[in-house]
Structure formats: C-alpha cells, structure tokens
Amino acid sequence: MSAEISAAAIAAGDRRALARAITLVESRRPDHRAAAERLLDALAGTGEAMRIGLSGTPGVGKSTFVEALGLRLTARGERVAVLAVDPSSARSGGSILGDKTRMERLSRDPNAFIRPSPAAAQLGGVARRTREAVRLCEAAGYGTVIVETVGVGQSETLVARMTDLFVLLLAPAGGDELQGVKRGIMEIADLVLVNKADGDLAAQAARTAADYAGALRLMRPRPDDPEGYPMVRTVSAATGAGLEAAWAAVEALAGARRASGAWDRTRAAQRAHWFDEELQAGLAELLAADPALARGLEAARRDVAAGRAAPAAAARAALAPLRRGALDASRDSP
Amino acid sequence: MSAEISAAAIAAGDRRALARAITLVESRRPDHRAAAERLLDALAGTGEAMRIGLSGTPGVGKSTFVEALGLRLTARGERVAVLAVDPSSARSGGSILGDKTRMERLSRDPNAFIRPSPAAAQLGGVARRTREAVRLCEAAGYGTVIVETVGVGQSETLVARMTDLFVLLLAPAGGDELQGVKRGIMEIADLVLVNKADGDLAAQAARTAADYAGALRLMRPRPDDPEGYPMVRTVSAATGAGLEAAWAAVEALAGARRASGAWDRTRAAQRAHWFDEELQAGLAELLAADPALARGLEAARRDVAAGRAAPAAAARAALAPLRRGALDASRDSP
C-alpha cells in the first residue's frame, strides 16, 4: 500500500480511496500514521454528515435495523456510511466479515459504504481510528454516518463523543425483566427505540416504550429537546413499521439542536476534546521516550494507588526530570 | 500562619491543627502548597473513614438532614466530619457562615467537625483542596466524612470521585413533576433518599420513592449491590423517621462492597485517577512555563475547535518544541 492517498480523491467520493484511507488511519506504522495525519489535515473542514451513534442490547436486531434504515435513506438518494466499533476485536479476532454478511442488501447498495471492525493486527487506538474514519466518510460526502458499537467496555461513551446523536435500540421486555442495559448507556441516549414491535411482541414493545418514557421523564429531563426528555419510539426493523417516524424524530432533534446552537457547541466541544486527547497522547509519548522518567512515573502511580504516597507530591517528584528539560528548552528559544 | 503543621498533631486528632491544615491545602501560596504536599505525604496511608458524598435538589433540607444524621452518629460516640464543596463560591462569595449556622447543634458537638466552603480568596483547585481536606479529616480519625455539594456545575462528579458512596436527597413530588435532578447525578447515586416523609407529605414521599425505585430498576441495574439496583428510602430529617434505616442501607452497601472487593478497587482507582490529574496539572504547568509553547497550544486548540485543523496533526505540531526539550533532557541523563 502506498502511504499517500489524495485528499481530492476522497473529496470526489472515490470509494476505493476512502477504503484505503481508512486502512491508513487504522495502521500503526509510523509512516502510515504520518500520511494519515497529513490527509486528515488536508481534509479539515470539508463535508458535514449527521453522525449517529448506535448501540443496543445483544440480540436486539441491530444489523437488521441499520440495514432497514440505511436502505430507506439510500432509496431517497442519500449516501450512508456505516462504521463498526468493536474494542474487543483485538482479543476475539473481531467481526470482520460479520457486518457485511448481515447487511447483505445494504452492502451492495452503491450509495452505502459499510466498514466492518478492523482485524486485530491493524488496530490503532480504537477512539482515534474510528473518529478519523468518521471524518473520512464525511469528507467523502456521506450525509449520514452511523457508528455502531457492539456494546463492549467504554465504547458507547467513546462513540457518543464523536457523534451528534446517540440511538439506543432495546428489545420488548416485561416490567420486572431487566434489559441488561449497561451502566452509562441510558445517560447518553438521545433517542430510545424499542425494536421488534410487530406480531405477538407489538403490545409488549409498546409497554416497554411507555415504561422507559416514564423512567426517562423522571431521570433524564432535557428541557431543550423537542419533548423535554429523550424521545422513545417503537419500531420494527423486520416490517419497517415505525422507521419513518423514528427518522422523523432524529430529524426533529437535529433541527432543534441546530436552531438552539447546541449542535455547533457540541461539535466544537468534541473537537476540543479530541485535541486534548491527542495532546495527552503526545505528552505520554514524550514521557515514554525517557525510560528512567517512565519507570519513575509508573512506580509513583503504583505507590499512590496502594495509598503509600499522596498524589500531588508523587506527581511533582515524578515529573521533576522533565521539568528541568522543559526549562532548558524554553531558555533555548528566542 | 506558620506553614508547617505537624503530622503527629493531625494524627492525634488536634482540631486546631486540622483546621489550620485545611486552610493550608486551600491556599495558593507556593510555600503553603509545598508544606501541604509534605504534610499529606507524611500522612499517606493513615486513617480510613467511610467517605459519603451528598447532593440534593434545592430546598430539600440537606443541612437539616446532615445535622440529624451527624447527631445520631456522634451520639453513638462516632466522629463525623462535614465538608462543603461549592465551586460557585469563587463567584458568589460562598456560604462561609451559612453551614455552621444551619447546623447549629452539630457544630457545637465535640465529635463533629464542620468545615464550610472556603472564601473566594483562599480558593485553590476545588477538586484538589476538597480531596485533600477529606484525607486530612480521615487522618485525624473521623470515621465518617460527609462531602456535601451544593449541586453547581460538575461538583457531583467531582465528589463521587473522592467518596465511597453517593447519597442523593430528593423532595416528594408528583409523578409528572420533574424534580430538576441535574443531568448525571442520578447515575452516580448509590442511595436515593426522599426527605420530608412526614405529616401531609408522607404518602407523596412514598409514591415518589416508588417511582424512582421503578425507574432505577429499569435504568440503573447494579447486580453487585444488595438490592440489585440503587436503594431508595424515605426519611424525615425533621422527625428522624427513617434515618436509622437509611444508615443501615449505607452500612449494608458498604459491607457488600467491602466483601466483594469493589470497595478497595474503587479506592485504588480513585487514587490512580487523582495521581493522573496531578500529573496533567504538572504537565500543564510545564507547558505554561514556556510562553511561546503555551500560545502555540492555545492557537492550535482554537483551530481544531473551529474545524480548521485536524486534532492529531495540530497536537503534534504544537508539542514539537517540548519534544526537542524532552529529548535533550533524556540525553543528559546517564
């Protein structure tokens, strides 16, 4: 693979260039990394998709839902990209072929771009590669980018920080049956969809939706959103029932946030967050570059975690060598 | 004020030494800061209180509750410290006299130590000074440290990161009446108490508790906690009804977490978190020490927030001067 990919090819919507660019941001090779950074910087400010995060409980029918929604959007001539985040693929080998197999019709649609989770060998930082892949799809002119997470570890929080709206897909369940919704997911949901609202499960899906609407009303008031709290709808990915209404809810929410300025504020805050993350990563690299300093930091962190040292004093002592270095550097500058 | 305070005096439970030590950690003077760090390091690993975070909606009767609970504990011979966190006091002038006035009986109790929010002039970092004040109270032998937040800004998250259990105090409310619970508070609550469960409001308090118990069951399953989700109780700080049961719930939760090892894991993770925070603060200080570097970082962050530059490339470029300095420093080391 040549490391250089033209920004113009991406901007022109060249699918092969986009696929290669995503492989580039997934790579850990230093020359690939440098090329990826140049490419992203050249594309800064181009394209703006609606970025949608999606999570769901196991067995809820996420792929069927994404395919059904995606096909509806592409049928209107819209372009849709689907990215998968699976932090566990480094361990399990990932769902490399799974996504495309599951979304067979959407994957053949010329207006859709589906990118499964990378194989372990290609894994860079999960957050960085996914965020950068979102940017690439956006720059390539996809108007909707869906970032689907398999719901392992902290992936929802991570995805919420790189998307505009977060959709949580639930299955119909009885009142006393816990859904196994992971801690922290309900907090970031902008829209809760109860899937499988068809046939025998339709009534139960409606009850589940009412239960969650009640709970969200008590626990997650959002005065600025169209309904004052996260919206809840029932859908059936299998029959298509409720999908248009669910998409209308997405658009109503996006419209309200654009009008209030919240949309742009969130985007700016997200970008600042990712800058700070990159800054921390860069500083961590600096610290690691000096083995003695890195060992000192590790020992200090262990002492603090064990309660043998106080955080402030330990951090100050561990940073002392770098402090001298930085002062030397600042004296060298004019 | 002499900057040196003896660790032995704190450990011996000298109230005056404790009060002066907290003033020391609140100070921004470099010599005070250095003395505070020495003192905390000397006290590392001494004492272990149950640290309880407390928040509540406005007008819920927080001070009455803390006083009633505190007096019950001191009546058993236990020692209780109450610290207030008010990040807004830098702006408003704070509730310097308020707390002691409101908790009149508890403040006269020899087994209680009440420390109101510091005045604006003494403010160091809110997180650091509160966390360090908690440590000092613990080292001084207070078995229960209550950290009360006025519920402004991110103070609950901050308090949750320095306490073992988080208690949320609510007022009775009708089903459709939103409580004005701030986003993110419900997520960190280990125990929800509906106060004012007396007289005319008793029935309404019971209904409110049932509503929240139902909502928490759906939205916050906690399989490892005694009841499988955050506990909800009704109390009356005015009559004392339910206070013993509420404290029993606190002790049951603490017991379960100690037995499962979750208690120690959380403590270790919190200490590691605070070490990382101190490390970031130290690194930020290093960056700020070089005005050209600091200006470059600020400009880069603005460019990224505005979407004019990509995070990774901008961070790398902004850190380049420090990178040279660090490499020089590492070459100097043996």
Side-chain angles (χ1 to χ4, degrees), chain A residues 103-129:
Chain A
M103 298 182 216
E104 208 191 331
R105 285 178 60 205
L106 190 61
S107 68
R108 288 195 311 259
D109 192 317
N111 281 327
F113 179 86
I114 299 183
R115 180 74 174 198
S117 308
Q122 303 169 311
L123 271 180
V126 173
R128 179 191 275 165
R129 69 175 161 75

Side-chain angles (χ1 to χ4, degrees), chain A residues 33-34 37-38 41 128 274-283 285-286, chain B residues 287 290 292-301 303-304 308-325:
Chain A
R33 186 66 216 143
E37 290 188 5
R38 281 193 298 275
D41 210 40
R128 179 191 275 165
W274 293 117
F275 176 74
D276 288 339
E277 291 281 306
E278 294 287 352
L279 210 56
Q280 301 309 343
L283 288 168
E285 229 175 70
L286 278 176
Chain B
L287 302 181
D290 182 336
L293 187 66
R295 277 194 303 273
L297 278 172
E298 211 27 70
R301 182 179 281 111
D303 284 348
V304 171
R308 288 188 295 267
R316 184 179 301 268
L319 284 178
L322 187 61
R323 202 171 297 266
R324 281 199 305 279

Side-chain angles (χ1 to χ4, degrees), chain B residues 255-289:
Chain B
R257 293 205 183 157
R258 282 200 167 102
S260 73
W263 186 278
D264 288 338
R265 279 197 302 276
T266 302
R267 280 273 174 123
Q270 286 181 345
R271 285 190 287 250
H273 169 80
W274 293 117
F275 176 73
D276 288 340
E277 292 280 305
E278 294 287 352
L279 210 57
Q280 301 308 344
L283 288 168
E285 228 175 71
L286 279 176
L287 302 181

Side-chain angles (χ1 to χ4, degrees), chain A residues 37 41 45 178 183-184 186-187 217 219-220 222 271 276 280 285 301 304-305 307 310 316 323, chain B residues 37 41 45 178 183-184 186-187 217 219-220 222 271 276 280 285 297 301 304-305 307 310 316 323:
Chain A
E37 290 188 5
D41 210 40
L178 292 187
R183 181 165 187 176
M186 200 55 85
E187 288 66 53
R217 202 177 184 96
M219 296 180 55
R220 302 248 55 80
R222 290 193 179 175
R271 285 189 288 250
D276 288 339
Q280 301 309 343
E285 229 175 70
R301 181 179 283 113
V304 170
R316 184 179 302 270
R323 201 171 297 269
Chain B
E37 289 188 5
D41 210 39
L178 291 187
R183 181 164 186 174
M186 200 54 85
E187 287 68 52
R217 202 176 184 96
M219 296 178 57
R220 302 248 54 80
R222 289 192 181 177
R271 285 190 287 250
D276 288 340
Q280 301 308 344
E285 228 175 71
L297 278 172
R301 182 179 281 111
V304 171
R316 184 179 301 268
R323 202 171 297 266

